Amino acid sequence: MKNILFVADPLDHFKIYKDTTFSMMREAQRRGYRIAACLPQDIQWKSGGVVTATVQQITLTGDAKDWYRIDITEAKALKDFDAVLMRKDPPFDAEYIYATHLLEQAEREGAHVVNKPRALRDHPEKLAIMEFPQFVTPTLVTRSAQAVRDFHAEHGDIILKPLDGMGGMGIFRVKQDALNLGSIVETLNKDGAETIMVQRFVPEISQGDKRILIIAGEPAPFVLARIPQGTEVRGNLAAGGKGVAQPLTPRNREIAETVGRALAPRGLLLIGLDVIGDSVTEINVTSPTCFQEITEQTGFDVPAMFIDALEATLRQQGR
């Protein structure tokens, strides 16, 4: 029986009706895998030894409320798992980076970690888009309040966001009137102490912020368009957006295949590409979501596509 470890947020915080990590666990268990879970803070490395973690071996029960049973809690070397899936949600802070260093050491000891720890560090989710300027709306990354004002004067209608947010957190729109621009910049960049991202507003957000899932370099055939509701500018599901599954368009496929060809070989087995209109707005690599929403609305089994890809990589390594 193969063993798979999920490094994730606390299990009791999962909303299993929509949680992507849960859907991965369920598909893995269906195929006969033994499931374990731990938090990033459960991982440790003692000098002279290997990287270990205190993990909970669990069984999924099929019950909507008490959805898992803990079979045993034990300390185990990460290299002894067939795969280690890093599924901790942002923020992408110093503790997250330290966790990737420990996971990278576990790789050197023989662990198979997905996504690859170095690739996680090298592709912060908002900054990663800058590698693909042909697909990006005019974008500025800066600490300078004056540079933001100059960008607004050039483009008129802009979006401002922190680099470490998730779920639409901390996103602001400033229109031509520049109302509250100074206050927003001060709030986000903390008087020049923190870097922010500024982008020209993409009006196609009214048709949705599309999540395209790229697995082993190949886009899934359906996307989830997250459509803002009411007066909200954000399409994120966490901000109240409505998720509507749609077929992958030829243009979406072109964008996704270009990004996938570049990034998958770097160790990014799973990528969540966010596209508004023809513009890539984020490249999510830490814990991309939307598996269950796409599967439930279309019948296409995204968790199966992902576990198929994971198993292919394990076979390549002789596991």
Side-chain angles (χ1 to χ4, degrees), residues 188-220:
L188 289 179
N189 85 339
K190 297 181 172 54
D191 292 324
E194 295 188 7
T195 305
I196 63 173
M197 176 172 280
V198 194
Q199 296 178 300
R200 186 174 67 189
F201 177 71
V202 182
E204 289 88 348
I205 184 62
S206 60
Q207 283 94 56
D209 179 355
K210 293 182 179 180
R211 165 59 55 84
I212 304 173
L213 294 169
I214 306 172
I215 298 173
E218 175 67 24

Side-chain angles (χ1 to χ4, degrees), residues 36-52:
C38 75
L39 306 175
Q41 55 263 44
D42 295 325
I43 303 172
Q44 64 180 17
W45 182 21
K46 186 176 181 180
S47 60
V50 299
V51 176
T52 64

Side-chain angles (χ1 to χ4, degrees), residues 20-307:
T20 288
T21 303
F22 168 76
S23 75
M24 293 174 174
M25 291 177 170
R26 183 172 56 191
E27 177 62 18
Q29 180 172 286
R30 188 188 70 78
R31 299 188 187 202
Y33 284 79
R34 191 177 183 194
I35 307 300
C38 75
L39 306 175
Q41 55 263 44
D42 295 325
I43 303 172
Q44 64 180 17
W45 182 21
K46 186 176 181 180
S47 60
V50 299
V51 176
T52 64
T54 301
V55 307
Q56 294 176 331
Q57 297 282 356
I58 65 172
T59 298
L60 308 191
T61 64
D63 186 289
K65 184 176 181 181
D66 298 317
W67 63 272
Y68 70 95
R69 178 182 73 244
I70 299 174
D71 299 321
I72 189 173
T73 300
E74 61 182 346
K76 193 167 181 178
L78 269 61
K79 69 181 180 65
D80 292 338
F81 290 93
D82 293 284
V84 177
L85 271 58
M86 178 52 160
R87 292 287 301 172
K88 171 70 176 71
D89 283 342
F92 191 83
D93 55 12
E95 286 302 323
Y96 190 99
I97 292 172
Y98 299 150
T100 67
H101 285 296
L102 293 178
L103 290 170
E104 192 170 16
Q105 171 59 25
E107 278 189 324
R108 289 190 284 268
E109 296 162 0
H112 178 69
V113 184
V114 176
N115 281 323
K116 193 173 181 64
R118 179 178 293 274
L120 290 173
R121 286 201 307 275
D122 288 350
H123 299 85
E125 298 182 326
K126 292 180 174 63
L127 281 175
I129 68 172
M130 302 296 274
E131 184 176 343
F132 305 95
Q134 70 273 36
F135 300 136
V136 175
T137 189
T139 298
L140 170 69
V141 178
T142 186
R143 290 192 191 186
S144 166
Q146 183 59 52
V148 175
R149 286 191 289 269
D150 293 342
F151 188 88
H152 177 265
E154 180 181 0
H155 296 288
D157 195 349
I158 63 172
I159 293 288
L160 303 93
K161 61 180 76 171
L163 291 181
D164 60 355
M166 65 170 290
M169 181 181 65
I171 293 178
F172 294 88
R173 179 184 179 184
V174 177
K175 299 183 181 180
Q176 291 278 358
D177 58 15
L179 188 65
N180 290 327
L181 177 60
S183 178
I184 291 168
V185 173
E186 290 170 7
T187 299
L188 289 179
N189 85 339
K190 297 181 172 54
D191 292 324
E194 295 188 7
T195 305
I196 63 173
M197 176 172 280
V198 194
Q199 296 178 300
R200 186 174 67 189
F201 177 71
V202 182
E204 289 88 348
I205 184 62
S206 60
Q207 283 94 56
D209 179 355
K210 293 182 179 180
R211 165 59 55 84
I212 304 173
L213 294 169
I214 306 172
I215 298 173
E218 175 67 24
F222 294 92
V223 307
L224 192 73
R226 297 159 299 175
I227 302 171
Q229 301 297 293
T231 59
E232 181 59 69
V233 72
R234 300 169 297 175
N236 309 75
L237 300 183
K242 180 181 179 181
V244 179
Q246 301 173 350
L248 188 73
T249 68
R251 177 58 172 167
N252 290 161
R253 175 172 289 279
E254 177 190 355
I255 294 171
E257 288 180 344
T258 300
V259 173
R261 281 195 301 268
L263 300 188
R266 301 176 192 175
L268 294 172
L269 184 70
L270 174 61
I271 298 166
L273 199 64
D274 290 348
V275 176
I276 302 174
D278 285 339
S279 298
V280 176
T281 59
E282 287 191 25
I283 298 176
N284 296 273
V285 299
T286 53
S287 57
T289 60
C290 299
F291 278 31
Q292 292 205 63
E293 293 89 344
I294 292 173
T295 298
E296 289 168 2
Q297 292 185 38
T298 69
F300 179 80
D301 197 333
V302 183
M305 180 182 178
F306 174 75
I307 298 297

